[in-house]
């Protein structure tokens, strides 16, 4: 091993000291005709299942009437978004705190201990710190001794985490994986932005995944991203591209910025295309679905997608009116509530679809 490292260092030194710059190879760039359609990349994962769910929502409820006292139009919020209230975390609470509470709830439901976990995945766009990861903070809080990792796909984060965790189980790498979606969006929205501020809330949801050879698992799933739309929903300041300074903070560059019209059109189209693709791959008809959970972003998006897909509104679970948009937390929060209400039973076919900043998305049909 030492000789290999020495050889690598020598070659690196030779390159660095050469008077002739190295000529990089030219990568082959795909033409638009060669690029695969993300909605055509449908796969399935057998032998995986959701063992248990859990959730945590901060106790403080912020109603539209409370925002009206700050100059917001409470009726406009309901008409344009369907949101009537949202949860807000207290100043001394971080994303890891709600994630940890959701994870503990999930373990309690599963009647398992932290030592039973093989891997922890936390999907979040509002981590406690740049480093360490929120997942490592949660791992320490649980008293677990497994690997832990953050991932950021914003509002599609839970779907990315769910499918990643199921891959680890399907491959035989791990037996039990905790996937947590957690965000405190109240920390990154501008209170003066009347079109954005009322949309978002705080919360966390968790699922514990396990293996079951008798369960078909993920009947079909697709993940996708389109970075060309990144600036339609982004936080421009605070990263290595634009470190925060007094002037950037004065300009509000640390807050979430959104082109609502563009995101609405993209979201409805993406949900419709990706859901249609996974249903066709799985050979599932609309009547076969026991439950549909879309990312809880905006009631107009949910209604439009439901209409485009020809779904029965009674199939579609909605708690947006009580929580607002909680980003990566929205789907697992909804799943936990659906389970508590008895709307999900073993063997049911559940459709999940997340979409958001990136732009990124993920849709799947899961046999519970």
């Amino acid at each position: 091993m030492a000789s290999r490292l020495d050889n690598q260092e020598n070659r690196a030194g030779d390159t660095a000291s050469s008077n002739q710059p190295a000529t990089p190879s030219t990568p082959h760039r795909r033409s638009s005709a060669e690029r695969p359609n993300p909605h055509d990349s449908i796969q399935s994962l057998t032998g995986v299942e959701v063992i248990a769910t859990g959730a945590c929502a901060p106790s403080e409820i912020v109603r539209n009437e409370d925002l009206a006292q700050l100059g917001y139009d409470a009726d406009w919020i309901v008409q344009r978004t369907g949101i009537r209230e949202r949860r807000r975390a207290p100043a001394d609470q971080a994303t890891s705190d709600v994630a940890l509470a959701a994870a503990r709830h999930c373990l309690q439901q599963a009647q398992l201990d932290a030592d039973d976990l093989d891997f922890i995945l936390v999907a979040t766009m509002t981590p406690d710190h740049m480093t360490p990861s929120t997942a490592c903070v949660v791992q320490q809080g649980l008293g677990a001794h497994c690997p832990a990792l953050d991932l950021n796909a914003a509002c599609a984060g839970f779907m990315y985490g769910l499918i990643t965790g199921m891959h680890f189980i399907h491959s035989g790498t791990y037996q039990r994986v905790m996937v947590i979606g957690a965000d405190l969006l109240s920390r990154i929205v501008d209170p003066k932005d009347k079109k954005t501020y009322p949309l978002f809330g705080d919360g966390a949801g968790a699922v514990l995944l396990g293996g079951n050879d008798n369960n078909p698992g993920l009947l079909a799933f697709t993940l996708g991203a389109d970075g060309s739309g990144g600036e339609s929903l982004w936080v421009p300041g605070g990263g290595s591209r634009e470190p925060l300074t007094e002037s950037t903070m004065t300009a509000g560059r640390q807050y979430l910025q959104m082109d609502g019209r563009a995101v609405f059109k993209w979201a409805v189209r993406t949900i419709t295309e990706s859901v249609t693709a996974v249903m066709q791959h799985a050979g599932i008809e609309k009547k076969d679905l026991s439950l549909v959970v879309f990312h809880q972003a905006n009631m107009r998006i949910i209604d439009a997608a439901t209409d485009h897909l020809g779904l029965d509104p009674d199939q579609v679970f909605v708690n947006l009116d009580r929580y607002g948009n909680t980003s990566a937390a929205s789907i697992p929060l909804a799943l936990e509530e659906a389970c508590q209400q008895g709307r999900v039973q073993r063997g049911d076919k559940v459709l999940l679809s997340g979409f958001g900043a990136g732009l990124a998305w993920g849709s799947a049909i899961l046999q519970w």
Side-chain angles (χ1 to χ4, degrees):
M1 178 63 73
S3 61
R4 286 179 60 194
L5 291 173
D6 290 341
N7 289 337
Q8 290 170 355
E9 290 174 357
N10 290 336
R11 287 196 297 272
D14 291 342
T15 301
S17 61
S18 172
N19 292 328
Q20 297 297 323
T23 303
S25 59
T26 302
H28 169 68
R29 295 187 180 277
R30 288 173 169 168
S31 67
S32 58
E34 293 177 303
R35 292 178 190 140
N37 182 344
H39 303 309
D40 291 338
S41 304
I42 314 296
Q43 300 179 49
S44 59
L45 284 173
T46 59
V48 293
E49 68 176 0
V50 174
I51 297 174
T53 60
C56 171
S59 59
E60 182 183 357
I61 298 174
V62 179
R63 298 176 177 84
N64 290 348
E65 291 73 19
D66 301 322
L67 296 178
Q69 298 174 15
L70 303 175
Y72 287 83
D73 186 332
D75 292 335
W76 180 91
I77 295 171
V78 174
Q79 292 168 7
R80 300 289 291 183
T81 70
I83 300 168
R84 297 182 180 276
E85 59 189 40
R86 69 288 296 148
R87 301 298 182 94
R88 181 187 296 163
D92 62 349
Q93 196 168 62
T95 297
S96 65
D97 294 313
V98 292
L100 181 59
R104 285 174 172 157
H105 183 212
C106 189
L107 284 173
Q108 181 182 22
Q109 303 265 64
Q111 299 183 341
L112 294 172
D113 299 321
D115 276 339
D116 294 312
L117 298 178
D118 298 315
F119 198 64
I120 298 171
L121 275 167
V122 175
T124 185
M125 60 179 285
T126 57
D128 288 21
H129 315 283
M130 294 293 286
T131 193
S133 71
T134 301
C136 283
V137 179
V138 171
Q139 182 235 41
Q140 189 273 334
L142 287 175
H145 300 91
C146 60
L149 171 72
D150 278 5
L151 60 83
N152 179 1
C155 300
F158 177 76
M159 294 305 299
Y160 270 70
L162 179 74
I163 292 166
T164 299
M166 286 187 165
H167 267 290
F168 276 118
I169 292 170
H170 176 76
S171 69
T173 305
Y174 299 125
Q175 294 182 351
R176 295 189 179 97
V177 176
M178 177 76 75
V179 179
I180 306 166
D183 273 305
L184 301 188
L185 271 296
S186 65
R187 306 293 166 83
I188 63 167
V189 287
D190 186 352
K192 299 188 294 295
D193 185 348
K194 287 184 166 55
K195 291 185 178 180
T196 303
Y197 186 71
L199 303 180
F200 297 98
D202 302 334
V207 296
L208 180 62
L209 307 178
N212 181 347
D213 292 337
N214 297 318
N215 193 325
L218 276 180
L219 304 178
F221 72 88
T222 183
L223 293 173
D226 179 9
S228 68
E231 292 187 12
S232 61
L233 184 55
W234 70 326
V235 178
S240 61
R241 177 68 65 188
E242 190 177 319
L244 287 181
T245 63
E246 185 176 349
S247 62
T248 58
M249 292 185 69
T250 300
R253 304 283 285 177
Q254 74 275 30
Y255 292 127
L256 186 70
Q257 299 181 9
M258 179 172 66
D259 181 346
R261 187 182 300 273
V263 171
F264 176 88
K265 292 179 179 178
W266 168 81
V268 174
R269 183 180 70 252
T270 298
I271 296 170
T272 303
E273 292 178 354
S274 63
V275 167
T276 299
V278 294
M279 289 182 67
Q280 289 176 347
H281 182 88
I284 296 295
E285 297 182 12
K286 290 171 286 190
K287 63 179 178 59
D288 299 323
L289 297 171
S290 299
L291 186 72
V292 176
V293 180
F294 296 125
H295 165 51
Q296 307 288 294
N298 184 304
M299 201 61 219
R300 293 170 65 223
I301 292 176
I302 294 173
D303 285 343
T306 300
D307 183 61
H308 278 67
L309 291 164
L311 295 169
D312 183 340
D314 290 340
Q315 293 174 290
V316 182
F317 190 89
V318 176
N319 62 5
L320 170 74
D321 56 319
R322 291 177 289 110
Y323 293 102
N325 182 341
T326 56
S327 190
S330 77
I331 291 177
L333 267 172
L335 282 175
E336 161 61 14
E337 285 204 347
C339 288
Q340 293 301 319
Q341 294 175 18
R343 292 191 58 177
V344 187
Q345 306 295 330
R346 285 296 170 196
D348 284 354
K349 294 177 176 61
V350 179
L351 170 63
L352 308 174
S353 184
F355 50 90
L359 297 167
W361 66 89
S363 294
I365 296 176
L366 170 68
Q367 182 153 321
W368 202 259

